[in-house]
Amino acid sequence: MLFHPMDILIFLAFGLSLWAQFKVKGTFNQWTEVRANSSLTGAEVARKILDSNGLYHVPVELVPGTLTDHYDPLSRTVRLSEPVYYGRSIAAISVAAHEVGHAIQHQQSYGALVLRHRMFPVVNFSSGIAPFLLLGGFLLHQASLIGLGIILFSAAVAFQVITLPVEFNASSRAKKLLLAEGFILNDEVRGVNKVLNAAALTYVAAALISVLELIKFVMIFFQGNNEEE
């Protein structure tokens, strides 16, 4: 089937994803121009929050690129892009605090993060095979291949969905930590919210696309079974 009714919704979700990526870049660039009252760099903020939470062993490293910031759970390292590492802006300290939020989640064994880490090896395997099983099943009209592909693809979708509470919780922690440590003033909270909410929207869009694609495959699977009967 070259076209499916669900493709309309998937197309709209892709549009949302592109807009979200544009939005996060625009918002980051906008608030990069606004210097934080604390005048601390993203790296300094990250280091201070880590130390105040007893995470002295977690290093803060520079990583190439822009918006490449992340927390590596394997090496337990916070990695910040150059604009964040050296930046003294609202955007820089917001992103830095968010990544530290993930390190604190790891330290406290935050449930959704733990589940996400345990799922990663399975998802890494299943997401690579699922597309081939689905394609082969549709081309060969083999319901068993389609069914197996859907099961494996479901793991990847679940991973995307579980990522949402992980990211939202890290952002919530970031805002509370920045205020508690005195790194931002009350009138700077708006900027922090703008930066972190824009970033969160990219995860929402990605999860939405995955869920809609899964629904499409399930509908095709059951439609094919009904036609055979």
Side-chain angles (χ1 to χ4, degrees):
M1 181 178 293
L2 296 178
F3 176 79
H4 189 276
M6 286 297 298
D7 288 334
I8 298 175
L9 294 178
I10 293 172
F11 176 79
L12 293 175
F14 269 110
L16 175 62
S17 178
L18 292 175
W19 180 80
Q21 292 175 36
F22 174 80
K23 179 72 173 176
V24 72
K25 290 178 182 178
T27 303
F28 180 82
N29 290 337
Q30 176 188 354
W31 289 96
T32 294
E33 301 299 321
V34 181
R35 190 181 180 93
N37 184 70
S38 64
S39 295
L40 295 172
T41 66
E44 290 171 338
V45 166
R47 183 71 272 156
K48 288 178 180 295
I49 296 177
L50 286 167
D51 290 348
S52 67
N53 284 272
L55 295 173
Y56 307 102
H57 60 287
V58 176
V60 180
E61 298 180 352
L62 182 65
V63 66
T66 302
L67 296 176
T68 50
D69 314 87
H70 63 279
Y71 169 68
D72 182 350
L74 296 179
S75 62
R76 298 203 171 209
T77 302
V78 171
R79 296 196 174 98
L80 304 177
S81 61
E82 186 171 341
V84 172
Y85 191 96
Y86 294 113
R88 300 178 186 274
S89 66
I90 294 294
I93 66 173
S94 298
V95 173
H98 174 88
E99 299 309 332
V100 171
H102 287 310
I104 296 174
Q105 287 176 336
H106 197 173
Q107 175 200 40
Q108 299 178 352
S109 297
Y110 176 63
L113 184 72
V114 172
L115 179 58
R116 188 171 179 269
H117 288 171
R118 290 177 178 173
M119 287 180 64
F120 181 77
V122 176
V123 172
N124 194 38
F125 170 78
S126 64
S127 61
I129 295 180
F132 296 102
L133 291 173
L134 290 167
L135 180 61
F138 290 135
L139 292 176
L140 301 174
H141 301 286
Q142 291 292 322
S144 58
L145 288 179
I146 297 174
L148 181 57
I150 288 174
I151 292 173
L152 294 180
F153 185 66
S154 296
V157 174
F159 185 82
Q160 291 272 21
V161 172
I162 291 170
T163 295
L164 296 181
V166 173
E167 295 299 326
F168 281 112
N169 179 265
S171 291
S172 177
R173 290 172 187 265
K175 285 179 277 189
K176 292 177 181 177
L177 290 167
L178 288 171
L179 276 172
E181 298 286 344
F183 298 139
I184 59 171
L185 302 177
N186 288 330
D187 59 358
E188 294 176 306
V189 173
R190 174 175 168 270
V192 174
N193 284 333
K194 290 279 188 180
V195 173
L196 297 181
N197 290 343
L201 186 59
T202 61
Y203 292 99
V204 172
L208 179 60
I209 291 171
S210 296
V211 169
L212 291 175
E213 288 180 334
L214 177 60
I215 293 173
K216 172 186 171 180
F217 294 141
V218 171
M219 289 176 67
I220 294 175
F221 176 74
F222 283 109
Q223 182 180 350
N225 284 346
N226 291 335
E227 289 176 353
E228 289 179 4
E229 293 176 359

